[in-house]
Amino acid sequence: MMKNKVIVVGGGMVGAATAVKLAKQGCQVRVIEHRVINPETVLASTRVDIRVSAINRFSEHLLDELGAMPILKAHRHAPYQQLEAFERSGDNLLFDCHDINTTHLGHLIENNLIQASIWQQFAEHNIEVIEITQPLSKIEETDQYVTLHYGEQQFSADLVVAADGGQSLLRKKAGIGVTGWQYGQHCMGVLIKLDAPQQVKTWQQFKPSGPVAFLPMQAPYANLICYHDAKQLKQWQQLSAVELKQQILKHFPPLAGDFDVIDHAVFPLARQHANSYSHGRIVLVGDAAHTINPLAGQGVNLGFQDVVALAKILHNCNDVGAKIQLKHYEQTRRKANLLMMSMMDACYFGFSNQVAPLKWARSQFLKMANDSGFLKNQLLKYAISGQLN
């Protein structure tokens, strides 16, 4: 008799994708979420979410398989064809989809739309959503199952998936520690309405004060990203839309047209990696397992790669919570996640340093990388697919 009852704690993008993926493989899935959404209402809303993700081609294929991508393409989405990184004019590294014979590199899509498009699949796969407002109070584990206690309520399953974010209470209650640090900067995201045609290039400039980036959403909207010290961004957060626009004009390269500031938010930067991806019949995915510097927008893509790896290992298993399988999942994902985390840190710290010899080396690196042809295209294929081949 198959043991395939699964509880997913956390119904965000990665948690929802885990639920649908495992349900499609025959598991009986429940999602525990403290903030239940109505996907139809979210998808019908004209309010634009300031939180946006750069979905690469790997993630796009997963969302297509789950039935979410067709829904997203019927709503707000923005495929991008070019990705550029530069420090100053003339020292740029430009990736173009046409160099690897593809139509686009990925999509920029609002986080709430991605979540809602996946939630729309729940009914088809008999996924039960349980709204819990109380915190997790206790975990009971046996060789056969794991039970979560929320006050007087109890829920048991053969496998529990922690998809409850970087501050995962489930991870903490399971006794899984983390290693990591806070970066010396915060990040501000600014939603703008841009008076320009649809943009197809996302870019990032490295500056002494920290990187700035442009993420083209579906016209007329775009998202601006600015790294700076916490004190400076706290001051900017208090500015009016008109005053904040003036700061953007000072700190950003020229945009494609005039713009209005619609919304903005500030959040701290942190790197965090779980010491283990599983404990007993509990397994971690997404930010519960790893949080990464958002420099290249790879966080949710790593989470979706976790989902695919876990589902592949659990496919047709008689006991989806068996320890040997969960350890196999960790072996599969830990090195890949650590590699991407280290690459983002190398870029962040390398380009944040203003020592003259290092500035010269960066300039030469960008020029050499841009002219490298085959090597550049292999790097691009890895960035959009998550695969080292």
Side-chain angles (χ1 to χ4, degrees), residues 227-244:
Y227 289 65
H228 217 301
D229 64 84
K231 182 178 179 181
Q232 182 66 74
L233 290 186
K234 186 176 181 179
Q235 292 175 359
W236 288 3
Q237 198 170 17
Q238 308 305 316
L239 299 178
S240 67
V242 173
E243 292 170 330
L244 181 56

Side-chain angles (χ1 to χ4, degrees), residues 128-374:
E128 181 185 2
V129 177
I130 303 170
E131 184 172 17
I132 297 291
T133 56
Q134 292 179 298
L136 176 65
S137 54
K138 186 172 66 171
I139 301 173
E140 284 185 316
E141 291 188 71
T142 71
D143 291 338
Q144 301 298 317
Y145 59 86
V146 56
T147 300
L148 304 180
H149 293 254
Y150 294 87
E152 298 298 319
Q153 294 181 284
Q154 301 177 20
F155 306 96
S156 298
D158 305 305
L159 173 68
V160 170
V161 180
D164 51 340
Q167 300 303 313
S168 171
L169 180 58
L170 178 53
R171 182 191 65 222
K172 295 173 184 176
K173 288 287 187 181
I176 300 176
V178 298
T179 56
W181 58 78
Q182 294 284 330
Y183 295 94
Q185 292 186 313
H186 280 46
C187 182
M188 173 177 276
V190 184
L191 177 66
I192 64 170
K193 192 171 184 180
L194 184 65
D195 183 16
Q198 179 66 53
Q199 301 294 293
V200 296
K201 178 168 74 174
T202 179
W203 53 256
Q204 186 158 250
Q205 181 187 27
F206 296 96
K207 297 166 65 72
S209 58
V212 296
F214 172 79
L215 308 177
M217 301 165 68
Q218 182 171 299
Y221 298 101
N223 200 294
L224 304 178
I225 303 295
C226 180
Y227 289 65
H228 217 301
D229 64 84
K231 182 178 179 181
Q232 182 66 74
L233 290 186
K234 186 176 181 179
Q235 292 175 359
W236 288 3
Q237 198 170 17
Q238 308 305 316
L239 299 178
S240 67
V242 173
E243 292 170 330
L244 181 56
K245 177 178 178 179
Q246 294 307 308
Q247 293 299 324
I248 292 169
L249 291 171
K250 290 179 183 178
H251 288 81
F252 277 71
L255 302 182
D258 193 14
F259 65 94
D260 293 318
V261 172
I262 305 300
D263 195 7
H264 63 279
V266 174
F267 52 91
L269 301 175
R271 167 179 166 148
Q272 183 174 269
H273 205 187
N275 296 335
S276 174
Y277 282 17
S278 66
H279 181 280
R281 291 179 173 271
I282 298 171
V283 66
L284 314 181
V285 296
D287 285 353
H290 46 79
T291 57
I292 184 173
N293 191 311
L295 195 61
Q298 289 296 314
V300 72
N301 293 313
L302 291 182
F304 284 151
Q305 289 173 39
D306 291 348
V307 172
V308 172
L310 180 63
K312 182 177 181 180
I313 289 168
L314 299 185
H315 188 51
N316 287 330
C317 287
N318 286 326
D319 182 0
V320 293
K323 294 181 181 179
I324 188 170
Q325 293 152 190
L326 303 186
K327 290 302 179 184
H328 184 196
Y329 156 73
E330 177 170 2
Q331 292 169 2
T332 301
R333 291 301 303 150
R334 176 172 283 277
K335 288 183 179 179
N337 288 330
L338 188 58
L339 173 61
M340 182 60 75
M341 294 168 78
S342 299
M343 287 173 60
M344 292 304 99
D345 281 344
C347 289
Y348 176 79
F349 290 115
F351 281 93
S352 297
N353 196 312
Q354 295 304 302
V355 177
L358 186 55
K359 290 179 67 176
W360 178 86
R362 288 198 301 259
S363 175
Q364 297 305 306
F365 168 76
L366 289 173
K367 290 178 180 178
M368 181 181 68
N370 196 56
D371 295 335
S372 63
F374 175 79

